[in-house]
Amino acid sequence: MIMLFRFKSVRHKFLAAVATTSIVTLLVTITAMGIYDWNDYKTRWVNDLSNQAMLIGRATIPALQFDDPQLATKNLKLLEVRPRVHAAALYDARGVIYAYYKGERYPVKLDPAFKQDIGLKIENSEITVSRRIHQHGILVGYMVITAEYGLYQRLFSYMSILLLVGIFAFVISLLIARWLQHQVTQPVENVARLAKNVVEQGDYSLRAQKTTDDEVGYLVSAINTLLTVIERGNKAQERSLKALAQENEARKTTELQLRQARDELELRVQERTEELRKAQSALLQSQKLEAVGQLTGGVAHDFNNILQVIGSNLEILSMKFSDITPAHSRIDGAMAAVDKGAKLASQLLAFARRQPLQPVSTNLNNLTKNMDDLLRRALGESIEVEVIQGGGLWNVMVDRNQVENVILNLSINARDAMNNSGHLTIETSNVMLDDLYAEDNPEVTAGQYVMLAISDTGCGMPPEVIERAFEPFFTTKGEGKGTGLGLSMTYGLVKQSGGHIKIYSEIDNGTTVKIYFPRIHLAEEDMPIRQIADIQGGNESILVVEDDMAVQKAVKDILLALGYQVECASDAQAALNIIEQGRTFDLLFTDVVMPGPLKSSEMAKIAKMKLPDLAILFTSGYTQNAIVHGGKLDAGVELINKPYRYADLARKIRMVIEKSDKKSNPTPIAQMSKSPESTLTMPGKILVVEDNLEAQSTLCELLSMLGYEAIGASSAEAALELLTEVNILLTDVNLPGMSGIELAIQCHAQDPSKPIIISSGMDTASKLPFAVQLLPKPFSMAILSDILYKATQQNAGP
Ligand SMILES: Nc1ncnc2c1ncn2[C@@H]1O[C@H](COP(=O)(O)OP(=O)(O)OP(=O)(O)O)[C@@H](O)[C@H]1O
Ligand SMILES: [Mg+2]
């Protein structure tokens, strides 16, 4: 039972308690009242019937005394007024029935139970009461009355009334209980609901409403206070948790930032170290190249001087011994060597940034536009050439011919790297080299530059090759295929022009060589760019005879690019062999000086006999004058001087082929020597300033052979004294004491009309504020006469 109520609400329990109490109370009351009433009813009946019996008994005493049963019966009949009396009997003192009323059922002998003063018997629904009848204290008989008892009916109606009253009372009590319960349990329920909500929702801000001031009210207040405390505690805890979480988050963020900062720092350190390493190696590289350049320049300069002496002497010898054939071949050999040496020296000087340059304000877009055609032909069909020209390109101050050579050199490198097929891109653009770049490349000054980039899709260069690529004579190409001077010359030119060069390369992907020339703010100079585009090629066949394999290859490449069919031979005999095989050629292009017993001039003669239409073009480090005067070649032969530019060669070849097609008469030597470039017989007195006495005397001798009167001076100081005596000054640059340049300035100051020629293998005089002629070392007699002519013409004025 207790368990049943355990989970019931307080309200139910309260109602149950009230209901139970009411019911028990009612039951107890009803029972008590029932018992009481039953006792009372019984007593009243007994008393009533006993009194009745006594009254009737007394009334029948005379009948008994006088033995008058009829009287007795008559007296008994008085009981008729009492309808509930069922029967009555009168017994005599012996206990024998004497008279009765409706009482045939009474036994004849009196029931002993009725012999007492008052006898009582309750049977079924009847009550029987007896009384002794006394007369003066003597028992005279017994009176017995039986009546309808009616106890149960009475009890029933009584109990019904009680029940109705009970139910009414119960309902009333329930209503009262309900009202009371509302008063008592509602606050408790409120508290309970609050507790439930708080527990379920975890919301400590909920409060119960205090409706009473009793214990429940106190409980509500206490719970509210408790909740406030908990809420505050919770909030504080939440705040501290939040703060903790924030702190945690902040710590994590800080840690992350720290880690990132550390990683970044490490990366920066690595990058910086790498940058420093790169900068250092770039510096080392440029210092190394600088040192090698200085060394090379010095050596080349001295080498040129030596070559000059040898060459000049050889020229003198060659003229003096023009009739002695064996001596000739020796001189030829020696001259060829001088020629090669001179070429080498000029390349080295280019690397050492000491070649004479003719810088003019140039727009590289115009320059590359004009080269496009030549490049396409030089590189062959299988290499795609793309020229991307940057818009609004700035001008730069460069020697256009040298830049053309650089582009050609780099393009040929690209062609070799691409194994004759691939994509070559020539690109120009304006660029800004910033401080960061300058930091990485210590030799660069930050600023505005014009970039010329030549990219290929070739084999690329490993780092060790990039590192050494600019070194003179560094080549990975086979014997006779590369001299390793192409990039060195390029490097020298770029540096001499104030620029910067950088190689970017990836193995198997290709190479980009980027050249940066500093921007200038001058309009492009209107000097016509060499009309390379005008160069015409042809489809004629040409036999090239050249013992220098590198030269032979270069010539072959350019002629092939121009559309000619080309066959090569390395000496005169090999050339003849090819012709004797029955091959026909339109042109024989041969070096004058050839190894082997068969001379090239003789080989040319035999070839001409076999192929009468064969045009012949000679080439030599010697000039036409020297060679023709020396009797090595027939008059009227065509000759191109070494070193020649590809464009010159192309034009010359075209010209020679066309000339021979027209069967025009060869130009006689007499006429040729009268051309302005070769006829240099302007008489005059020349002061030769040269500290090397040997070179000085050779030069004087050469000049006298050209018809000049020459006097020598070994120093500038000595020369100053002699200046007034002469009408031309020819001076070396490097002299003991005052330099040749200083001497030239003083000479110009004394007499601005006096022609000045400065002899140097290096570009030392180009910055002079007045015009001078430069005589490059080593020079041939023809060049010398040429320069003398120009010097006198220039100073003669227009
Ligand atoms: N575009 C390129 N791709 C791959 N390697 C190159 C490229 N250009 C130059 N090189 C490498 O650099 C070396 C030096 O080049 P450089 O032009 O100075 O000499 P070379 O081409 O060998 O000979 P030369 O130019 O005198 O005929 C080459 O031998 C080659 O190994
Ligand atoms: Mg090269």
Side-chain angles (χ1 to χ4, degrees):
M1 190 69 172
I2 290 168
M3 287 304 284
L4 202 67
F5 276 94
R6 185 170 175 175
F7 301 105
K8 294 287 178 190
S9 66
V10 172
R11 182 157 54 100
H12 288 126
K13 282 178 188 162
F14 186 89
L15 282 177
V18 170
T20 312
T21 314
S22 312
I23 290 168
V24 169
T25 311
L26 282 172
L27 283 178
V28 169
T29 309
I30 288 168
T31 311
M33 284 176 77
I35 292 168
Y36 172 77
D37 189 66
W38 181 66
N39 273 334
D40 182 55
Y41 184 75
K42 187 177 144 193
T43 310
R44 276 191 285 121
W45 263 109
V46 170
N47 290 341
D48 184 33
L49 289 179
S50 118
N51 290 338
Q52 194 79 50
M54 196 173 74
L55 283 175
I56 301 251
R58 278 188 185 161
T60 54
I61 290 174
L64 281 172
Q65 281 175 339
F66 298 104
D67 193 20
D68 184 1
Q70 281 176 344
L71 183 65
T73 303
K74 200 179 159 186
N75 283 348
L76 283 177
K77 255 192 168 178
L78 289 175
L79 286 172
E80 277 176 353
V81 290
R82 311 256 330 237
R84 286 181 67 185
V85 174
H86 289 174
L90 182 70
Y91 290 86
D92 61 15
R94 291 169 296 153
V96 178
I97 194 150
Y98 184 74
Y100 54 82
Y101 168 72
K102 293 182 195 175
E104 293 87 1
R105 54 196 169 133
Y106 285 113
V108 178
K109 283 280 184 191
L110 182 70
D111 190 318
F114 299 124
K115 284 186 175 174
Q116 296 168 26
D117 193 30
I118 296 172
L120 176 67
K121 194 171 183 180
I122 296 170
E123 229 170 31
N124 297 327
S125 63
E126 288 178 332
I127 181 166
T128 306
V129 177
S130 68
R131 280 303 288 258
R132 285 178 173 210
I133 306 163
H134 290 94
Q135 182 72 19
H136 307 302
I138 300 164
L139 181 72
V140 287
Y142 300 88
M143 182 68 206
V144 180
I145 302 173
T146 299
E148 185 185 327
Y149 190 32
L151 177 70
Y152 296 110
Q153 286 88 337
R154 173 164 179 105
L155 266 183
F156 180 76
S157 56
Y158 189 78
M159 288 309 279
S160 296
I161 291 166
L162 273 184
L163 199 65
L164 277 176
V165 171
I167 288 170
F168 181 73
F170 181 69
V171 169
I172 295 294
S173 76
L174 265 190
L175 288 174
I176 293 168
R178 179 118 182 95
W179 180 81
L180 274 177
Q181 167 264 322
H182 188 77
Q183 297 303 313
V184 175
T185 62
Q186 186 63 37
V188 176
E189 277 182 345
N190 285 347
V191 174
R193 203 174 309 119
L194 170 78
K196 188 173 175 234
N197 287 344
V198 168
V199 169
E200 280 177 2
Q201 298 168 16
D203 183 355
Y204 294 95
S205 66
L206 298 174
R207 295 290 179 273
Q209 202 185 349
K210 184 181 171 186
T211 48
T212 57
D213 284 328
D214 53 9
E215 291 85 344
V216 177
Y218 179 76
L219 187 66
V220 168
S221 300
I223 286 179
N224 282 347
T225 313
L226 203 64
L227 280 173
T228 308
V229 171
I230 292 175
E231 191 188 12
R232 273 197 209 130
N234 262 3
K235 277 189 181 160
Q237 194 182 5
E238 252 172 43
R239 271 200 302 275
S240 63
L241 273 177
K242 206 169 164 188
L244 203 67
Q246 277 174 350
E247 205 177 294
N248 228 2
E249 195 59 33
R251 207 193 61 236
K252 272 187 198 162
T253 314
T254 315
E255 269 176 15
L256 194 75
Q257 282 171 345
L258 261 175
R259 209 172 313 126
Q260 279 172 348
R262 198 192 54 215
D263 289 352
E264 202 168 311
L265 195 71
E266 270 175 23
L267 202 75
R268 286 260 177 86
V269 169
Q270 274 175 9
E271 278 173 4
R272 199 72 196 117
T273 314
E274 182 59 17
E275 276 168 18
L276 273 176
R277 198 192 59 72
K278 273 193 198 158
Q280 233 169 16
S281 88
L283 191 66
L284 271 179
Q285 177 75 354
S286 74
Q287 282 173 343
K288 187 174 83 182
L289 289 173
E290 180 70 40
V292 176
Q294 275 182 7
L295 186 72
T296 317
V299 170
H301 176 247
D302 291 348
F303 191 47
N304 260 344
N305 283 342
I306 295 163
L307 286 178
Q308 185 56 55
V309 175
I310 299 170
S312 301
N313 280 308
L314 284 173
E315 276 195 281
I316 295 165
L317 278 179
S318 138
M319 283 180 219
K320 287 195 174 157
F321 299 104
S322 58
D323 308 334
I324 305 165
T325 317
H328 255 277
S329 64
R330 307 273 171 199
I331 293 169
D332 282 351
M335 279 202 154
V338 170
D339 214 22
K340 266 192 174 176
K343 192 177 164 203
L344 196 65
S346 88
Q347 286 174 329
L348 291 178
L349 281 173
F351 167 65
R353 309 174 210 172
R354 298 192 196 173
Q355 65 177 327
L357 291 182
Q358 289 182 309
V360 285
S361 171
T362 303
N363 191 288
L364 291 183
N365 275 354
N366 291 335
L367 192 114
T368 47
K369 186 168 63 195
N370 288 333
M371 285 194 73
D372 189 41
D373 200 35
L374 174 73
L375 283 175
R376 281 182 209 283
R377 282 186 283 169
L379 298 175
E381 290 294 311
S382 48
I383 291 178
E384 284 174 53
V385 181
E386 188 183 4
V387 180
I388 303 170
Q389 299 193 322
L393 199 71
W394 300 323
N395 291 340
V396 291
M397 188 60 93
V398 290
D399 184 318
R400 293 173 183 176
N401 293 333
Q402 296 304 333
V403 174
E404 276 170 20
N405 276 346
V406 160
I407 295 175
L408 207 59
N409 251 321
L410 295 178
S411 302
I412 286 170
N413 276 355
R415 180 201 63 190
D416 293 347
M418 290 190 284
N419 209 7
N420 287 330
S421 82
H423 194 96
L424 176 91
T425 312
I426 298 177
E427 193 185 343
T428 57
S429 67
N430 296 333
V431 292
M432 177 79 202
L433 296 185
D434 55 16
D435 292 337
L436 210 68
Y437 188 87
E439 255 177 52
D440 283 351
N441 299 273
E443 78 280 10
V444 178
T445 319
Q448 293 177 318
Y449 287 80
V450 174
M451 184 194 73
L452 169 69
I454 288 153
S455 309
D456 61 58
T457 53
C459 58
M461 304 160 79
E464 61 276 11
V465 170
I466 297 181
E467 209 170 293
R468 299 194 56 199
F470 295 129
E471 285 177 22
F473 304 111
F474 174 80
T475 178
T476 58
K477 297 173 187 171
E479 183 73 32
K481 288 191 177 150
T483 57
L485 283 170
L487 281 178
S488 315
M489 283 175 3
T490 303
Y491 179 84
L493 173 82
V494 172
K495 289 279 153 190
Q496 201 175 343
S497 311
H500 167 60
I501 181 166
K502 187 113 182 165
I503 299 175
Y504 298 91
S505 189
E506 265 182 45
I507 295 290
D508 294 337
N509 280 334
T511 302
T512 299
V513 180
K514 287 189 178 174
I515 295 173
Y516 302 89
F517 291 115
R519 174 194 188 175
I520 56 159
H521 292 274
L522 293 176
E524 184 177 24
E525 214 165 290
D526 201 15
M527 192 169 95
I529 292 177
R530 292 154 53 74
Q531 293 300 304
I532 293 170
D534 296 348
I535 298 167
Q536 280 182 21
N539 55 6
E540 288 84 356
S541 56
I542 300 175
L543 177 60
V544 176
V545 191
E546 171 65 63
D547 58 323
D548 185 322
M549 293 312 287
V551 177
Q552 189 193 86
K553 181 172 175 287
V555 169
K556 185 180 177 184
D557 288 343
I558 192 78
L559 293 182
L560 282 174
L562 288 165
Y564 296 108
Q565 299 159 47
V566 185
E567 192 68 44
C568 292
S570 305
D571 59 46
Q573 189 54 55
L576 267 191
N577 290 346
I578 293 173
I579 292 173
E580 271 161 11
Q581 282 166 12
R583 303 277 304 275
T584 56
F585 294 95
D586 297 298
L587 176 81
L588 171 69
F589 176 51
T590 177
D591 200 355
V592 173
V593 184
M594 242 349 130
L598 186 58
K599 280 196 203 168
S600 71
S601 54
E602 283 164 20
M603 178 268 288
K605 271 182 204 155
I606 300 169
K608 184 85 179 164
M609 276 171 10
K610 291 201 183 281
L611 303 168
D613 291 337
L614 185 70
I616 298 170
L617 174 61
F618 284 96
T619 179
S620 169
Y622 278 166
T623 59
Q624 189 149 343
N625 278 346
I627 293 165
V628 177
H629 289 313
K632 295 183 199 82
L633 297 175
D634 289 341
V637 293
E638 295 290 346
L639 181 108
I640 182 164
N641 284 339
K642 276 184 182 175
Y644 44 76
R645 294 207 166 91
Y646 298 134
D648 292 336
L649 175 66
R651 275 197 210 94
K652 187 82 179 179
I653 281 182
R654 200 64 242 152
M655 189 266 277
V656 173
I657 289 175
E658 277 168 15
K659 212 166 166 185
S660 111
D661 279 352
K662 287 179 200 152
K663 301 269 185 278
S664 59
N665 291 328
T667 315
I669 182 68
Q671 279 174 22
M672 281 191 75
S673 64
K674 278 184 186 129
S675 73
E677 278 139 3
S678 57
T679 310
L680 304 162
T681 51
M682 149 92 192
K685 194 167 177 184
I686 302 180
L687 175 57
V688 176
V689 190
E690 168 68 68
D691 59 329
N692 183 323
L693 289 178
E694 208 178 339
Q696 189 194 93
S697 74
T698 319
L699 187 51
C700 287
E701 200 172 337
L702 277 178
L703 287 168
S704 65
M705 285 172 82
L706 288 170
Y708 290 86
E709 188 187 338
I711 56 169
S714 304
S715 70
E717 289 78 5
L720 277 176
E721 316 231 313
L722 299 168
L723 269 181
T724 47
E725 294 176 26
V726 296
N727 46 7
I728 300 175
L729 168 68
L730 194 165
T731 177
D732 194 17
V733 174
N734 296 323
L735 296 171
M738 187 195 288
S739 79
I741 303 290
E742 183 59 25
L743 173 63
I745 293 170
Q746 293 207 14
C747 172
H748 183 76
Q750 275 181 22
D751 181 2
S753 67
K754 188 169 284 176
I756 300 173
I757 301 169
I758 293 182
S759 152
S760 171
M762 301 185 287
D763 181 25
T764 41
S766 57
K767 292 181 185 74
L768 281 173
F770 50 89
V772 293
Q773 286 298 324
L774 292 178
L775 180 63
K777 274 187 186 175
F779 50 82
S780 65
M781 209 155 110
I783 292 175
L784 179 62
S785 64
D786 217 27
I787 296 290
L788 279 165
Y789 176 78
K790 283 182 186 160
T792 49
Q793 285 300 104
Q794 173 188 308
N795 282 52

